[in-house]
Structures are given as C-alpha cells and as structure tokens.
Amino acid sequence: MSHNTGATSDWSSLDRPLPEWFRDAPFGIFIHWGAYSVPAWAEPIGALGTVSDDREWFTHNPYAEWYMNTIRIEGSPAQAHHQAAFTGVEYDGLLEQWKAENFDPQEWAALFKAAGADYVVPTTKHHDGITLWDAPGTGERNTVHRGPHRDLIADIAGAVRDHGLHLGLYYSGGLDWHVRPFPPHLSTESVDETGRPKDAEYAQYAYNQVLDLINKYKPEVLWNDINWPDAGKNFGSFGLGTLFEKYYDAVPQGVVNDRWGDTHKDYSTSEYENFKESESAAAWENCRGLGFSFGYNQVEGPELTLSGKEIARQLVDVVSRGGRFLLNVGPQADGTIPDLQRRSLMDMGRWMVDAKPLLVGAMPLDPGTAGSQDAPWVRWVDRGDEIVAFVDDLTGDATVELNVKDVALRTADAAIVGGGAKLNFNGDRLHVKLGPGRVGPALVRIPRIRPQVN
C-alpha cells in the first residue's frame, strides 16, 4: 500500500474489509505483565464504568497496572501501601525485583489454547514506559537489560504461534509516565487530553517502537491504548498513517483497534462497562480482567474472580450481540499464572470443547425469531442452517421454556450438545431441563427447514 507523503491525513485510504480470521475469532486472551506485578496491589473498588467520581476512581484505582500513577497521588492508600511494603524503593526499583524466574511461555500458550482462545495479546509497553523487549530509545529500561533479562515478547510470540494461535500486541501510545512525566492523573480529562504527550518528539519515539514491533514480531493485531500523540496524526515520515501503511504491507491480514484518536480503525473496543457505545459498531471487542484489575492483584480473592461459567456467559453474551471477547490474564511476577485464574480458564476450556464450534462464525439472531433474557438466562446466535440457544440458571436446576417464533425451524429436531441438560416438548413448546454440574450454559441446536429445490 502506498500513499502520498505529507501532512494531509486521508484516513479513509486505509479502509479495508475485516480479515476472515478475525471475523471467526470470538475469544482472545489479554496479558498484563510488568514491574507492577511485583507489588500486585490495588483496591478492588469496582469495574471501570461503575465508579462515576473521577477522583475516587484514580485515588483508589482498582487497576494494579496503574500502580506507578496511584502511588504518586498524595494520601492514596496505594501510596501508604508502597511506603510500608517497599520502604525507600522507587517505582523503577520494582523492575529489578521482577525476575520472571518461573516463566514458561509454552505452558502459558498451551493453557490459552486449551481454554479455547483464538488470539493472544500481551502488553509490550504499559503506561509506565517499561518495555518487554529491547525497544529503541529505552536504553536499559527494558526486560532484556534489567529484571527478567529476557525478550519476553519474543518468548510469548513464539509459544503462541507454536500452538496455532494468532498474535496481537498491546502498546500504550497515549501515555508514558517515564518519557513524559506529567503530574499523576486525577481525572479522565487528564488521561484523554491535558496529561498526555502530544508533541512530535514523543510521536517519533512511539512510531519507532511500534514499527520495531511490526518488523520483529509481525503481530496480527495492533492494540493501541489511550490515544496517539497529536503531532503524529498524519502521513509524514513518522506519521501514524505511514505506520499503518507499513503495518498492512508487512501483515496484510492484520487489524488495528480504535484507540489511536480520531484516525483509523478496523474494529472498536469497550472495556468492562465503559465505552458501551462501541458495541454498536460493525466489528467490536469487549475486554476485561478476571477481576476488576488487568495486572495481577493479590487483593482479589475468589469472590472477585470470574469462574469458568461466568467467563462462558460473558463470551456468549458478547458473541450474541456481534462482538468478540478479550479476557485478561494477570501473571505473577515470577511468571506463573495464579491458581484462581488458571482454574477458571481450565473450567472454561472444558465447556469450550462443545461450545467453540458453535461460536465461530456465529451471528446475532434476529430478535423476531427469539430474544435474549436474563432470568432464566438465555442467549441466541444464528449459524445459517441452524440457530443455537445458550441456556443457564444460576439458582440451580431449572426448566426453561425456549420461546421460538420462526415457523421455518425444525423444533422437533432440536438437540442438546455436550450434555448437562435434557429436552422435552409440551405440545409445540420446547423445554430445557438443566442438570447439575454444568461448567457453562447448556447448548441447544435447532435446525432450520431447508427450502425444497425442484
């Protein structure tokens, strides 16, 4: 792909169809791992989008990966915790304590594959500016020269592809608290506008790093965060438009998300309960952690960690509305995935053995045929020759009536996939009797009547 160089920004020149692999990829794994995984501490006050007061959110930030920002807020509980637990240690001193001594990328990738994932997106640089590869311009402030003393991105990329999964890479283009040390964020406006770098020098710094990621690892997803420096939103020598062109040349089947400012995107993103307007886009993805944090938070126990069944319900809900689900895993500093998170992923994987084939390529069902409901819990997808109901009830065993209005369905030929429930008919009504011990929603396939061909 080529484009006339210069400052003019014709973002529509980058528009292209969504690659088939991404259309058929309902489930991804996010990985937030960094120096913040050493303290692994945040206050689990709630999910993003449920805490309306900005100052409360930032002062008591439940995102452990925001630790460097939160400990700089005077009077914050995180600051008090850091002073007590890491007396005299600056944030960068945590990098030396991050050893990753038990990190096994092949074991990680095998777990993600078993959980039913299609793609994996590790963080390469979060807002603290520490890079997980030997990034240009970072000197020794990266994991190759300090801490783990490894190119963690190369390790993860190799293992992910060895297991047949697609590789994405997260990069924080919008914030870098080391290269551009603004005062700590206390408001959304600070993050979005007044406290983010916009200058040409930082734009070139970020450009060089992302281009290095493209050249070295050929990611099939470029997942930027927050925004992109305004001085780089053009098609000049170090412009974002030029970067996108180089990316698509290097990875023709690649996609980029929507967090580059008002420029270009292949798909939109929501996060927990925030940015819900993105979920009306033609292509979108919802991301969240297993708890309220992305980075590992030792404060979060089982009551705040999604179970395998809860992950399954979230995935199904998202797919039934036309999206895909990016679920975050937060490894510990030594490189092990916490037992709580591992158990949830393994439970999810048992359910995905039967469910995954029904989710790949699924589309939202016309609500005129059948509608979603929450009590009992039912979601629907359309697979062309059939429709599929996902049925659950958290109160225990239950009988759920599926109210299907389309006469072009062979309701009498409906079938349960994978067990965990039984079907029966009451007149022309289809009932699902849920059994105990299900890892996720019961799966009910209802075929369509094929038109007669003379």
Side-chain angles (χ1 to χ4, degrees):
M1 182 185 295
S2 62
H3 193 285
N4 292 328
T5 59
T8 303
S9 301
D10 181 13
W11 301 107
S12 65
S13 68
L14 299 166
D15 292 346
R16 48 205 278 286
L18 202 67
E20 184 177 354
W21 81 262
F22 194 65
R23 290 201 306 270
D24 290 342
F27 185 41
I29 296 289
F30 223 175
I31 306 169
H32 278 63
W33 195 29
Y36 47 79
S37 305
V38 174
W41 195 93
E43 297 177 84
I45 62 171
L48 181 66
T50 65
V51 179
S52 58
D53 183 80
D54 261 7
R55 191 170 186 93
E56 179 185 1
W57 172 265
F58 287 99
T59 304
H60 304 275
N61 199 324
Y63 282 3
E65 67 277 11
W66 274 67
Y67 190 78
M68 182 177 176
N69 186 76
T70 316
I71 63 175
R72 294 187 296 145
I73 298 174
E74 288 301 323
S76 71
Q79 184 181 73
H81 169 81
H82 187 73
Q83 290 169 349
F86 299 94
T87 306
V89 177
E90 298 291 330
Y91 183 83
D92 269 28
L94 300 174
L95 175 54
E96 309 301 342
Q97 298 183 35
W98 177 23
K99 300 299 186 185
E101 64 271 23
N102 296 315
F103 172 46
D104 183 347
Q106 292 290 335
E107 193 271 337
W108 281 19
L111 175 64
F112 302 154
K113 177 78 171 180
D118 302 285
Y119 59 109
V120 178
V121 185
T123 51
T124 67
K125 181 194 82 141
H126 205 261
H127 313 326
D128 61 7
I130 295 171
T131 63
L132 278 66
W133 88 108
D134 194 4
T138 58
E140 294 190 350
R141 196 174 182 268
N142 58 64
T143 62
V144 175
H145 293 280
R146 295 170 63 183
H149 290 280
R150 293 176 69 166
D151 183 334
L152 299 174
I153 299 306
D155 291 343
I156 295 170
V160 161
R161 286 174 165 147
D162 285 348
H163 284 78
L165 302 172
H166 297 275
L167 175 73
L169 294 178
Y170 166 108
Y171 180 84
S172 175
L175 297 174
D176 192 311
W177 299 323
H178 177 74
V179 174
R180 291 291 182 271
F182 284 85
H185 302 290
L186 286 167
S187 69
T188 302
E189 182 186 20
S190 170
V191 174
D192 291 345
E193 286 299 332
T194 59
R196 68 174 176 88
K198 304 177 182 181
D199 61 283
E201 183 183 35
Y202 177 68
Q204 183 173 338
Y205 177 83
Y207 174 99
N208 287 336
Q209 291 191 348
V210 175
L211 183 60
D212 195 52
L213 290 171
I214 293 168
N215 290 336
K216 285 181 176 172
Y217 311 112
K218 303 292 189 295
E220 291 161 281
V221 179
L222 273 183
W223 212 105
N224 188 60
D225 205 5
I226 304 296
N227 207 313
W228 193 257
D230 294 5
K233 293 175 180 175
N234 56 61
F235 285 82
S237 298
F238 298 99
L240 180 59
T242 305
L243 184 65
F244 285 146
E245 290 177 343
K246 289 180 180 294
Y247 174 57
Y248 291 137
D249 282 342
V251 189
Q253 294 301 304
V255 293
V256 304
N257 72 342
D258 60 339
R259 301 191 182 192
W260 311 82
D262 187 16
T263 58
H264 165 71
K265 65 178 182 292
D266 290 307
Y267 70 98
S268 299
T269 59
S270 60
E271 184 172 331
Y272 285 91
E273 301 304 313
N274 215 21
F275 316 124
K276 285 294 188 180
E277 64 278 5
S278 296
E279 297 180 359
S280 62
W284 60 275
E285 169 194 81
N286 173 254
C287 68
R288 63 156 294 160
L290 278 155
F292 293 143
S293 175
F294 286 91
Y296 173 55
N297 183 6
Q298 61 177 309
V299 179
E300 293 182 336
E303 73 285 354
L304 295 177
T305 303
L306 293 181
S307 66
K309 179 182 284 191
E310 289 168 328
I311 300 170
R313 283 166 62 121
Q314 176 78 2
L315 171 62
V316 168
D317 177 69
V318 167
V319 172
S320 74
R321 293 184 290 116
R324 53 197 49 78
F325 182 37
L326 184 61
L327 176 70
N328 184 80
V329 170
Q332 297 174 120
D334 70 350
T336 57
I337 294 173
D339 288 342
L340 274 175
Q341 298 184 31
R342 177 180 299 279
R343 192 176 311 126
S344 294
L345 291 175
M346 292 174 67
D347 286 347
M348 171 72 166
R350 294 205 304 274
W351 178 78
M352 284 286 267
V353 169
D354 297 310
K356 181 69 181 287
L358 304 181
L359 293 168
V360 172
M363 301 291 291
L365 181 64
D366 183 338
T369 299
S372 298
Q373 59 190 69
D374 289 331
W377 193 91
V378 181
R379 297 291 187 273
W380 295 89
V381 299
D382 192 334
R383 294 186 47 78
D385 288 343
E386 65 181 359
I387 67 174
V388 181
F390 297 81
V391 186
D392 199 9
D393 190 302
L394 290 183
T395 62
D397 299 352
T399 299
V400 180
E401 179 177 321
L402 297 182
N403 187 12
V404 182
K405 302 166 187 162
D406 192 339
V407 295
L409 290 166
R410 302 206 312 270
T411 310
D413 294 329
I416 294 286
V417 180
K422 294 182 179 179
L423 288 178
N424 62 72
F425 290 90
N426 182 0
D428 60 350
R429 297 182 182 274
L430 182 61
H431 292 86
V432 182
K433 171 64 175 174
L434 296 172
R438 288 172 297 104
V439 181
L443 315 172
V444 185
R445 303 173 76 163
I446 307 175
R448 280 197 165 96
I449 298 172
R450 294 177 181 271
Q452 294 291 330
V453 178
N454 296 324

